């Protein structure tokens, strides 16, 4: 492959030639494609800058449907690994969330902003959440949703857990969000909260139960109600492993309320928590026809027991989805076409004229072996090539 020019801070017009292009159901034969500014164009005469990509595979920029962002460095890590859109699932205050938006040449983000939980939940003990996030009555739902919309949240996140918000509160938040045409994403990593989220008529359930496998009947109910799964198997695997004893002891001393909340949540489960339950739940949902999206729950928290890194973890997630039963093609769709469709990001997820020029050039074919998603040669975010800062 020819040597690349130095990074340009602006989107240019250029041609990629002799490249096989992912069209959502497979790869084309070798062809050429024009990139005009931040969009995919159609005029192959539009530029004299031609990049020969013979032997390479071009896929849409990857979408991680469950991230947590703290600072711009996370956007760099995501871009370096081919993730050009990141769907944040809890971030506050609003200034921080909105400060990470619209950064040229870096991944484009969407965010839930502040999530809903309740006093006494694991998350309320673990995270420095403002009181506004702790809902104790369904009457608070409408004002909460309106505040998020005013702040700029793209969708509403509820943390379904036991202990946590009541069924009535979950129902009220979901209904209030739907009146405002906002998607509702529910955290549910155990069987009972998973069913509560379904009962509340949410649109997306993120995580996958670790205490009991989702049955075929439940999966069919999800299909009937158009519910999407973002199982975050990477995080489910991490949280099913035993945390370092030193970290647990540190937590017991510094934050005893978190440990007692975790113990109460575990006691409310249907059985021992295992990764196999989470993985087999994904298999059941996939078999039933539930859209399964790739999301990682990547985060960086000083007190977290679990290490799920931005960017790299999405490739792990794709591998785990294939292990759970998805075909490599469907795993690739789970990080491109499907999240674009189900999160209403209609300007991306597929490589066709007029879409955002979010592109990843690979040396291998991930529909043949999903591990080839890691063979990244070049990445463009909105037509601007990403280069790791020196
Ligand atoms: Zn999360």
């Amino acid at each position: 492959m020819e040597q690349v020019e130095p990074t340009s801070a602006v989107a240019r017009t250029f041609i990629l030639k002799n490249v096989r292009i992912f069209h959502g159901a497979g790869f084309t034969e070798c062809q050429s494609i024009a990139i005009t500014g931040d969009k995919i164009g159609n005029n192959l005469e539009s530029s004299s800058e031609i990049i020969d990509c013979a032997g390479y595979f071009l896929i849409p920029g990857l979408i991680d449907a469950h991230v947590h962002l703290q600072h711009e460095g996370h956007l760099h890590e995501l871009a370096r690994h081919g993730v050009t859109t990141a769907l944040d699932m809890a971030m506050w205050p609003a200034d921080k969330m909105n400060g990470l938006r619209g950064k040229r040449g870096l991944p484009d983000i969407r965010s839930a902003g502040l999530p809903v939980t309740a006093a006494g939940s694991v998350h309320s003990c673990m995270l420095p959440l403002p009181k506004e996030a702790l809902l104790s009555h369904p009457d608070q739902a409408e004002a909460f949703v309106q505040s998020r919309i005013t702040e700029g949240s793209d969708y509403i996140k509820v943390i379904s857990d036991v202990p946590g918000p009541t069924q009535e509160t979950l129902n009220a938040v979901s209904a209030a969000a739907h009146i405002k045409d906002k998607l509702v994403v529910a955290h549910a990593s155990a069987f009972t909260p998973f069913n509560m989220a379904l009962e509340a008529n949410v649109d997306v359930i993120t995580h996958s139960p670790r205490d009991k496998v989702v049955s075929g009947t439940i999966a069919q109910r999800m299909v009937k109600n158009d519910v999407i799964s973002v199982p975050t198997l990477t995080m489910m695997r991490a949280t099913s492993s035993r945390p370092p004893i030193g970290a647990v002891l540190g937590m017991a001393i510094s934050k005893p309320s978190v440990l007692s909340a975790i113990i109460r949540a575990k006691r409310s489960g249907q059985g021992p928590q295992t990764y196999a339950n989470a993985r087999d739940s994904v298999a059941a949902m996939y078999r039933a026809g539930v859209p399964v999206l790739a999301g990682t729950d990547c985060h960086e928290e000083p007190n977290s027991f679990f290490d799920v890194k931005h960017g790299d973890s999405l490739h792990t997630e794709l591998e785990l989805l294939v292990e759970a039963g998805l075909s490599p093609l469907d795993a690739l769709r789970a990080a491109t076409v499907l999240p674009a469709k189900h999160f209403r990001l209609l300007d991306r997820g597929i490589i066709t004229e007029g879409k955002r020029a979010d592109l990843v050039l690979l040396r291998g074919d991930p529909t043949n072996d999903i591990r080839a998603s890691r063979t990244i040669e070049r990445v463009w975010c909105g037509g601007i090539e990403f280069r790791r800062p020196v």
Side-chain angles (χ1 to χ4, degrees):
M1 149 162 278
E2 72 190 53
Q3 204 50 47
V4 296
E5 292 180 4
T7 306
S8 163
V10 294
R12 310 186 310 270
T13 296
F14 56 99
I15 311 286
L16 303 179
K17 76 167 188 182
N18 293 327
V19 67
R20 296 186 64 190
I21 298 172
F22 185 67
H23 54 64
F27 282 93
T28 64
E29 294 301 316
C30 284
Q31 62 180 72
S32 297
I33 182 170
I35 286 81
T36 306
D38 61 352
K39 299 268 192 316
I40 295 164
N42 68 347
N43 185 359
L44 295 175
E45 312 298 322
S46 59
S47 174
S48 57
E49 185 186 346
I50 296 172
I51 301 170
D52 188 355
C53 302
Y56 287 80
F57 297 82
L58 190 67
I59 62 170
L62 298 168
I63 301 172
D64 187 332
H66 190 144
V67 306
H68 293 280
L69 301 170
Q70 295 292 345
H71 49 73
E72 191 174 312
H74 290 153
L75 299 180
H76 287 259
E77 276 306 294
L78 290 165
R80 192 160 77 83
H81 291 89
V83 178
T84 59
T85 301
L87 307 181
D88 182 89
M89 288 300 162
M91 182 162 35
W92 66 92
D95 286 353
K96 183 162 106 179
M97 166 178 75
N98 292 325
L100 290 174
R101 294 183 191 274
K103 294 199 175 284
R104 285 169 60 76
L106 287 175
D108 196 27
I109 72 160
R110 297 291 183 277
S111 179
L114 192 66
V116 171
T117 183
S121 70
V122 172
H123 287 78
S124 74
C125 299
M126 195 166 56
L127 301 171
L129 283 159
K131 280 203 169 65
E132 191 184 357
L134 311 180
L135 268 56
S136 58
H137 196 278
D139 285 354
Q140 298 165 303
E142 205 177 311
F144 178 89
V145 168
Q146 187 52 55
S147 293
R148 299 292 76 67
I149 292 170
T150 303
E151 286 181 350
S153 294
D154 299 286
Y155 32 78
I156 302 298
K157 169 89 178 287
V158 292
I159 300 174
S160 180
D161 208 353
V162 180
T166 62
Q167 182 71 63
E168 291 70 27
T169 298
L170 294 178
N171 296 352
V173 173
S174 184
H178 287 155
I179 286 170
K180 299 290 184 180
D181 197 29
K182 291 291 178 193
L183 293 173
V184 181
V185 181
H187 159 116
S189 58
F191 192 76
T192 300
F194 195 93
N195 283 298
M196 289 172 72
L198 255 184
E199 189 63 30
N201 197 27
V202 304
D203 303 284
V204 180
I205 302 183
T206 187
H207 306 307
S208 183
R210 286 171 297 161
D211 56 336
K212 187 176 175 182
V213 178
V214 166
S215 68
T217 310
I218 292 172
Q220 280 156 18
R221 183 178 173 200
M222 294 174 76
V223 173
K224 188 161 161 272
N225 294 353
D226 293 326
V227 180
I228 312 305
S229 167
V230 183
T232 69
L233 285 177
T234 310
M235 181 53 97
M236 295 300 93
R237 188 173 68 168
T239 51
S240 300
S241 60
R242 198 179 286 273
I245 188 71
V248 176
L249 286 174
M251 176 78 74
I253 294 164
S254 65
K255 286 191 165 184
S257 61
V258 177
L259 270 192
S260 66
I262 289 172
I263 290 165
R264 272 182 288 144
K266 281 200 170 183
R267 281 190 186 140
S268 72
Q270 305 268 332
Q273 297 187 355
T274 68
Y275 174 66
N277 284 334
R279 182 198 59 209
D280 295 349
S281 292
V282 172
M285 291 187 281
Y286 177 63
R287 271 198 307 273
V290 176
V292 175
L293 312 186
T296 61
D297 207 4
C298 58
H299 69 289
E300 183 186 336
E301 299 282 348
N303 294 323
S304 177
F305 294 156
F306 311 109
D307 192 22
V308 177
K309 291 201 172 356
H310 294 79
D312 181 71
S313 59
L314 186 66
H315 301 279
T316 306
E317 184 70 19
L318 296 180
E319 289 157 17
L320 293 178
L321 289 174
V322 169
E323 273 180 33
L326 273 70
S327 65
L329 171 63
D330 280 346
L332 186 57
R333 286 170 54 82
T336 53
V337 186
L338 292 185
K341 175 183 171 190
H342 294 294
F343 276 90
R344 305 172 179 173
L345 305 170
L346 302 180
D347 60 345
R348 67 197 73 189
I350 191 153
I351 303 173
T352 54
E353 187 190 340
K355 303 288 186 191
R356 275 175 64 93
D358 290 340
L359 299 164
V360 181
L361 192 65
L362 301 175
R363 295 187 294 279
D365 176 356
T367 64
N368 192 27
D369 179 347
I370 196 62
R371 290 172 298 181
S373 70
R374 294 183 186 271
T375 63
I376 294 171
E377 186 72 17
R378 299 172 77 156
V379 177
W380 291 269
C381 295
I384 300 174
E385 183 161 15
F386 174 78
R387 301 293 179 82
R388 190 210 294 248
V390 185

